[in-house]
Every structure is written in structure tokens, then in C-alpha cells.
Amino acid sequence: MNTELKNRVKEYLKSHKEEIAEELSALVRIPSIKGAPEKDAPMGRECARMLEAAAELFKKNGFDSQVSRSGYYASASYGEGEKSIGIFTHGDVVPVGDEWTLCEPFEAKRIGDIIVGRGCNDNKDGIIIGLYILKLLKELDIKIKNRLFVYIGSNEEDGMKDIDVFASEMPLPDVSIVPDNVFPVCLGEKGICQFFYTSDVPFEDVLDFYGGEAYNIVLDKAQVILKAKEGLREEIASYADTRFEIDERDGKIYVLAKGVPAHAAHPDGSVNAAYIACELLSKCKLLCASDREILKNGAHFLSDIHGNSFDIASSDDKFGATTSANGMVKMKDGRLSLSCDVRYGSTYSASELERRINKCVGQRAWRVTEIDNKEGFFHERDNPFANAMLNAYRSASGETDKDFYFSGGGTYARKLKNAFSIGTASKFGADHSIIPEGHGGAHKADEFVHLDELLEGILVSLAMLLSCDELL
């Protein structure tokens, strides 16, 4: 991107800043968490409403756009040519959780140049990037030689069935850009293994234990319900701290554990609510010995975020350390059942990883009851598209020291050919001081995007796309 075009793009984006804020906010206000399937709404009514709103937004701006007949995704297109470039985004979001301090999760509150709301950074700002790349090409008369295809998905956060349906219905683009990560260019993503593991032994004194709605958010709240016994509430309270609320009524004791959430790919600094609940209650001698043993085992499995509890801890020079995070807890036929989200590199194959997990849980009289295991992928550093995108980013952003990276997150890039995930908001020092510590990121409370950084993200994303168009 030459200096003259770069300045024209910056001026255009600056003049459309308020419009961008309004369009993003309108999308954020749709609570597009996965819901019960309905006719023409396989991911629930709100996800369907999000797809309809996104398609209408592209139509309003003069682009051919529609929701697929399957109801799993929306798309828009621009240009002509034998080959195609895809921009893949999603509008579904993770559950909101608690501890929002700046606004309600779907309020899309504007505070100066910051917008706060679930999905504004993961990944509804990606939809805006796709829209404004098309608008910039059209309205600034920027010539390209290939067709562009913008995809808006509805199931990225919970299985990616939408992209599987797309791949069965449509040809994959020749090269794809996925603005759902960080800048500059991701060369590969870890494998993702998600499963539940369940105790073979049922509880006696624990009546219920539940919390969480998604694999990929560290559990921030867990509720335990126990049979009331004389002195048990006092014993629990003697071990508890400010992270717990304890109540007794109707012959039952209620223990609420509060943790600190984080994205499962980056669990450092989080506090898992199920872990602290298991650890607390396993100390209580007024609970039966069998229940204490189950809770002790639960605490063991949940105590480590790098897979040591499952004998899968490892690290490699591309992906770094394995991570292991819990996002849900439930009871199944009186038995404790915990979820696990493992992000792993190249040390173990998918089958070896599963073998080790099954062996470890079996040794403590637990078993894996549900599992979905997807191996990761990576591109070599000499990939021509990756290098073209990196050079375009360096030139457009001025950050010449930035390099490729590998990611623990999972994006649509793993489902496509010649696909690379990139960022959305390009951080260059805007003031984020209003965001409470530990808040603000993807899957966290007070998720936010800074408008100036989003404008920068659109600029560099366009430069990267143009570099792919030239190379293709």
C-alpha cells in the first residue's frame, strides 16, 4: 500500500468513524449466544437474528448478501475473477458471565472512543472489517483482480459446525483471511481437545454441583448443594474465604464459589471456581469419606493449567506450553462430571493425547464420557501468502519489528485452505485505563474495542488483503 493510498484510506475511515461505531454497536446489541435450534435457526433464534442483521448491513451498503438456505451462515461478495479471497468472521458469542462493571453485556456502551459489550472484540468487529474492506474497495475505486467473499458464521465458539456446512455447500476460497486473532499473522494454531470426565462413584452428601456454559471460558462461578448436617455449615465456613458464599435453608447447605474467568487458551491468572470448591469441601470431615475422595480427585485434576494432572504437559518451539482449562461442572446420575479444554502443540498426536488422558482419569476411578479432539496445523515460515501479509502489515502499520506467531486459540483458519488468522483492533497505545484490571479481553467481562484501534485494524487488514490479491 503506497503512501497516497494509505492516506486516502485513513481519511475515509476517520470520516466514517461514527458510522462504524453505530454499526458495530447495533450488532453487539443482539445477544447471539447459541440457543435451542428452531426452524431456519439451527443455532437458535438470536444467532439467526444476528445473521439477518449482518446480511442486511451489507445489502444496505450495496453488496450482494444473504443468509444461507441452511441458516448456518451469511455471506457477501464483491468483484470478479477466476480466483477468490475469503474473509471469515463470526457473529456468535460466548455466554456473558458475571462481574460486568461498565455496562450490561449487550448494552454496547460508548465511553469516549471505547465500545464495551460482549462480542465487540470477538468477533463482531471482524464483521465490520469485512464490510469496510468491501466499502473501501468500492468507494475509493481500488482495483483488485480476484473475487472477494465475506463469511459471517454462527457457531465458531461452540464446535464450528457452521463452517463444516459451508464447506459442504460451497467451494473454499483460494486463500482466506480470518480477522479473529491478533496482528500481525498467525502461522498455526494448537490442537484443541475438549471432553468431560466423570467419577465412577456417585456422591452421597453432595446433592448437586453445577456451573458454566462453555468449554472455552475458565469457570468463574460454581454452586454446590449439600445435605445439611449438624456443624457442617460451620466447618465449611472455617475453611472458606471471601471467594465463597455459604447459606443454609430447607435442610440444605448452599456453597457458591467465585473464581476469575479467562479464555481457555490463555488461563494464566485465572481462578477456577470448581477447583476452589473441590479443594474447600474435600477438607470437611463431616462429609462422608467417599465424597471427600471424589472432591479431592476433582481438585487434583483441576489444580494445574498445563496438563500435568493428565500427564500431557509439554512445550514446543512453535506453540509453547500445553494448557488445560475447565469451563463447566455438572452432576450426571449423582456423579461429578467436569469439562476440560486442552490446547496442545506438536509433542503428542491426537491419539496419544487421548490415551494419556484416559489412563490418568482411569487410575482415579473416573472415565472420559465425551470427547472432541481436533489436531492443530501450521504453515512454514516461507509461505508466500504469509510473508506477503506480514510485509504489508509492517509497511501499513509502521511496526517493522513484528513477526509471525503461533496461537493457542481456535479460529476458522483450521477449517480452510491457505488460511491465516490476523487481528481486528491494531493496538498502538490508545488509552484503555477505564477498563478494570483483569477485564476487557475476549471472553472476559467488560469486553471492549477502541475505535481508533479498530480503524487501524481495518487499514492494515486491507493492506494485507491487497498483498494476497496481487500474489494470487
Side-chain angles (χ1 to χ4, degrees), residues 214-253:
Y215 276 106
N216 56 6
I217 312 173
V218 174
L219 183 63
D220 66 341
K221 186 176 288 187
Q223 179 76 68
V224 188
I225 304 175
L226 308 141
K227 293 178 184 177
K229 292 183 177 182
E230 185 176 353
L232 179 57
R233 177 180 178 177
E234 290 74 20
E235 184 182 25
I236 295 170
S238 71
Y239 295 118
D241 54 32
T242 57
R243 300 173 297 179
F244 299 93
E245 294 179 6
I246 306 165
D247 189 22
E248 184 172 352
R249 60 184 185 277
D250 303 324
K252 299 175 184 177
I253 296 173

Coordinates of all heavy atoms in Angstrom, one line a residue, residues 214-253:
A214 N -19.8 -23.1 28.8 CA -18.9 -23.2 27.6 C -17.6 -23.9 28.0 O -17.1 -23.6 29.1 CB -18.7 -21.9 26.9
Y215 N -17.0 -24.7 27.1 CA -15.7 -25.2 27.3 C -14.7 -24.2 27.4 O -13.7 -24.3 28.2 CB -15.3 -26.1 26.1 CG -15.9 -27.5 26.2 CD1 -16.9 -27.9 25.3 CD2 -15.3 -28.5 27.0 CE1 -17.4 -29.2 25.3 CE2 -15.7 -29.8 27.0 CZ -16.8 -30.2 26.2 OH -17.2 -31.5 26.2
N216 N -14.8 -23.1 26.6 CA -13.6 -22.2 26.4 C -13.6 -21.0 27.2 O -12.9 -20.0 26.9 CB -13.5 -21.9 24.9 CG -14.8 -21.2 24.4 OD1 -15.7 -20.9 25.1 ND2 -14.8 -21.0 23.1
I217 N -14.3 -21.0 28.4 CA -14.1 -19.9 29.4 C -13.8 -20.6 30.7 O -14.6 -21.4 31.2 CB -15.4 -19.1 29.5 CG1 -16.0 -18.7 28.2 CG2 -15.2 -17.9 30.4 CD1 -17.4 -18.0 28.3
V218 N -12.7 -20.2 31.4 CA -12.4 -20.7 32.7 C -13.6 -20.4 33.6 O -14.1 -19.3 33.7 CB -11.1 -20.1 33.3 CG1 -10.9 -20.5 34.7 CG2 -10.0 -20.5 32.4
L219 N -14.1 -21.4 34.3 CA -15.3 -21.4 35.1 C -15.1 -20.3 36.2 O -14.2 -20.4 37.1 CB -15.6 -22.7 35.7 CG -16.9 -22.8 36.6 CD1 -18.1 -22.6 35.7 CD2 -16.9 -24.2 37.2
D220 N -16.1 -19.3 36.2 CA -15.9 -18.3 37.2 C -17.0 -18.4 38.4 O -16.9 -17.6 39.3 CB -16.1 -16.9 36.6 CG -17.5 -16.7 36.0 OD1 -18.2 -17.6 35.8 OD2 -17.8 -15.5 35.7
K221 N -17.9 -19.3 38.3 CA -18.9 -19.5 39.3 C -19.4 -20.9 39.4 O -19.8 -21.5 38.4 CB -20.1 -18.5 39.1 CG -21.1 -18.5 40.3 CD -22.2 -17.5 40.1 CE -21.6 -16.0 40.2 NZ -22.7 -15.0 40.2
A222 N -19.4 -21.5 40.6 CA -19.9 -22.9 40.8 C -20.7 -22.9 42.0 O -20.4 -22.4 43.1 CB -18.7 -23.8 40.9
Q223 N -21.9 -23.6 41.9 CA -22.8 -23.8 43.0 C -22.8 -25.3 43.5 O -22.9 -26.2 42.6 CB -24.2 -23.4 42.6 CG -25.3 -23.6 43.7 CD -25.2 -22.5 44.7 OE1 -25.5 -21.4 44.4 NE2 -24.9 -22.9 45.9
V224 N -22.6 -25.5 44.8 CA -22.6 -26.8 45.4 C -23.8 -26.8 46.4 O -23.9 -25.9 47.2 CB -21.3 -27.2 46.0 CG1 -21.3 -28.7 46.5 CG2 -20.1 -26.9 45.1
I225 N -24.6 -27.9 46.3 CA -25.7 -28.1 47.3 C -25.5 -29.4 48.0 O -25.3 -30.4 47.4 CB -27.1 -28.1 46.5 CG1 -27.2 -26.8 45.7 CG2 -28.2 -28.2 47.5 CD1 -28.5 -26.9 44.8
L226 N -25.5 -29.3 49.3 CA -25.2 -30.4 50.2 C -26.3 -30.7 51.2 O -27.1 -29.8 51.5 CB -23.9 -30.1 51.0 CG -22.7 -29.6 50.3 CD1 -22.0 -28.5 51.1 CD2 -21.7 -30.8 50.0
K227 N -26.4 -32.0 51.6 CA -27.3 -32.3 52.7 C -26.8 -31.6 53.9 O -25.6 -31.5 54.3 CB -27.3 -33.8 52.9 CG -27.8 -34.7 51.8 CD -27.6 -36.2 52.2 CE -28.1 -37.1 51.1 NZ -27.9 -38.5 51.5
A228 N -27.8 -31.0 54.6 CA -27.4 -30.3 55.9 C -27.1 -31.3 57.0 O -27.8 -32.3 57.1 CB -28.6 -29.4 56.3
K229 N -26.0 -31.1 57.7 CA -25.6 -31.9 58.8 C -25.3 -30.9 59.9 O -24.8 -29.8 59.7 CB -24.4 -32.8 58.5 CG -24.7 -33.9 57.5 CD -23.4 -34.7 57.3 CE -23.6 -35.9 56.4 NZ -22.4 -36.7 56.3
E230 N -25.5 -31.4 61.1 CA -25.1 -30.5 62.3 C -23.6 -30.2 62.3 O -22.8 -31.1 62.2 CB -25.5 -31.3 63.6 CG -25.3 -30.4 64.8 CD -25.7 -31.0 66.1 OE1 -26.3 -32.1 66.0 OE2 -25.4 -30.5 67.2
G231 N -23.3 -28.9 62.3 CA -22.0 -28.5 62.3 C -21.3 -28.3 61.0 O -20.2 -27.8 60.9
L232 N -21.9 -28.8 59.9 CA -21.3 -28.8 58.6 C -21.1 -27.4 58.1 O -20.0 -27.0 57.5 CB -22.0 -29.6 57.6 CG -21.5 -29.7 56.2 CD1 -20.0 -30.2 56.2 CD2 -22.3 -30.6 55.3
R233 N -22.1 -26.6 58.2 CA -22.0 -25.2 57.7 C -20.8 -24.5 58.4 O -20.1 -23.8 57.8 CB -23.3 -24.4 57.9 CG -23.2 -23.0 57.5 CD -24.5 -22.2 57.7 NE -24.3 -20.8 57.3 CZ -25.3 -19.9 57.3 NH1 -26.5 -20.3 57.7 NH2 -25.0 -18.7 57.0
E234 N -20.7 -24.7 59.7 CA -19.7 -24.0 60.5 C -18.3 -24.5 60.0 O -17.3 -23.8 60.0 CB -19.9 -24.2 62.0 CG -21.1 -23.5 62.6 CD -22.4 -24.1 62.2 OE1 -22.5 -25.3 61.8 OE2 -23.4 -23.4 62.3
E235 N -18.2 -25.8 59.8 CA -16.9 -26.4 59.3 C -16.5 -25.8 58.0 O -15.4 -25.4 57.8 CB -17.0 -27.9 59.2 CG -15.7 -28.6 58.9 CD -15.8 -30.1 58.7 OE1 -16.8 -30.6 58.4 OE2 -14.7 -30.7 58.9
I236 N -17.5 -25.7 57.0 CA -17.2 -25.2 55.7 C -16.7 -23.7 55.9 O -15.7 -23.3 55.3 CB -18.4 -25.2 54.8 CG1 -18.8 -26.7 54.5 CG2 -18.2 -24.5 53.5 CD1 -20.2 -26.8 53.8
A237 N -17.4 -23.0 56.7 CA -17.1 -21.5 56.9 C -15.7 -21.4 57.5 O -15.0 -20.4 57.2 CB -18.1 -20.9 57.8
S238 N -15.3 -22.3 58.3 CA -14.0 -22.2 59.0 C -12.8 -22.3 57.9 O -11.7 -21.8 58.2 CB -13.8 -23.3 60.0 OG -13.6 -24.6 59.4
Y239 N -13.1 -23.0 56.8 CA -12.1 -23.1 55.7 C -12.3 -22.0 54.6 O -11.4 -21.9 53.8 CB -12.2 -24.5 55.1 CG -11.8 -25.6 56.0 CD1 -12.7 -26.6 56.3 CD2 -10.5 -25.7 56.5 CE1 -12.4 -27.7 57.1 CE2 -10.2 -26.8 57.4 CZ -11.1 -27.8 57.7 OH -10.8 -28.8 58.5
A240 N -13.4 -21.4 54.6 CA -13.8 -20.5 53.5 C -13.1 -19.2 53.6 O -12.7 -18.7 54.7 CB -15.3 -20.4 53.4
D241 N -13.0 -18.4 52.5 CA -12.6 -17.1 52.5 C -13.6 -16.2 51.7 O -14.7 -16.7 51.4 CB -11.2 -17.0 51.9 CG -11.1 -17.6 50.5 OD1 -12.1 -17.6 49.7 OD2 -10.0 -18.1 50.2
T242 N -13.2 -15.1 51.2 CA -14.1 -14.1 50.6 C -14.6 -14.6 49.2 O -15.5 -14.0 48.6 CB -13.5 -12.7 50.5 OG1 -12.3 -12.8 49.7 CG2 -13.2 -12.1 51.8
R243 N -14.0 -15.7 48.7 CA -14.4 -16.2 47.4 C -15.7 -17.0 47.5 O -16.2 -17.5 46.5 CB -13.3 -17.0 46.7 CG -12.0 -16.2 46.5 CD -10.9 -17.1 46.0 NE -10.5 -18.1 47.0 CZ -9.6 -19.0 46.8 NH1 -8.9 -19.0 45.7 NH2 -9.3 -19.9 47.8
F244 N -16.2 -17.3 48.7 CA -17.3 -18.2 48.9 C -18.5 -17.5 49.6 O -18.3 -16.6 50.4 CB -16.9 -19.4 49.8 CG -15.8 -20.2 49.2 CD1 -14.5 -19.9 49.5 CD2 -16.1 -21.2 48.3 CE1 -13.4 -20.7 48.9 CE2 -15.1 -22.0 47.7 CZ -13.7 -21.7 48.0
E245 N -19.7 -17.9 49.2 CA -20.9 -17.5 49.9 C -21.6 -18.8 50.4 O -21.7 -19.8 49.6 CB -21.8 -16.8 49.0 CG -21.3 -15.4 48.6 CD -22.3 -14.7 47.6 OE1 -23.4 -15.2 47.4 OE2 -21.9 -13.6 47.1
I246 N -21.9 -18.8 51.7 CA -22.5 -20.1 52.3 C -23.8 -19.7 52.9 O -24.0 -18.8 53.6 CB -21.5 -20.6 53.4 CG1 -20.1 -20.8 52.8 CG2 -22.1 -21.9 53.9 CD1 -19.1 -21.0 53.9
D247 N -24.8 -20.6 52.6 CA -26.2 -20.4 53.1 C -26.8 -21.7 53.5 O -26.4 -22.8 52.9 CB -27.0 -19.7 52.0 CG -28.4 -19.2 52.6 OD1 -28.5 -19.1 53.8 OD2 -29.3 -19.1 51.8
E248 N -27.7 -21.7 54.4 CA -28.4 -23.0 54.8 C -29.9 -22.7 54.9 O -30.3 -21.8 55.6 CB -27.9 -23.5 56.2 CG -28.5 -24.8 56.6 CD -27.8 -25.4 57.8 OE1 -26.8 -24.9 58.3 OE2 -28.4 -26.4 58.3
R249 N -30.7 -23.5 54.2 CA -32.1 -23.4 54.2 C -32.8 -24.7 53.7 O -32.2 -25.4 52.9 CB -32.6 -22.2 53.4 CG -32.2 -22.3 51.9 CD -32.6 -21.0 51.1 NE -32.4 -21.1 49.7 CZ -31.3 -20.9 49.1 NH1 -30.2 -20.5 49.8 NH2 -31.2 -21.1 47.8
D250 N -33.9 -24.9 54.3 CA -34.7 -26.1 53.8 C -34.0 -27.4 53.9 O -34.1 -28.3 53.0 CB -35.3 -25.9 52.4 CG -36.1 -24.6 52.2 OD1 -36.8 -24.3 53.2 OD2 -36.0 -23.9 51.2
G251 N -33.1 -27.6 54.9 CA -32.4 -28.8 55.1 C -31.2 -29.0 54.1 O -30.8 -30.1 53.9
K252 N -30.8 -27.9 53.5 CA -29.7 -28.0 52.5 C -28.7 -26.9 52.8 O -29.0 -25.8 53.3 CB -30.2 -27.9 51.1 CG -31.1 -29.0 50.7 CD -31.7 -28.8 49.3 CE -32.7 -29.8 48.9 NZ -33.3 -29.6 47.6
I253 N -27.4 -27.1 52.5 CA -26.4 -26.1 52.5 C -26.0 -25.7 51.1 O -25.7 -26.6 50.3 CB -25.2 -26.6 53.3 CG1 -25.6 -26.9 54.8 CG2 -24.0 -25.6 53.3 CD1 -24.5 -27.5 55.6

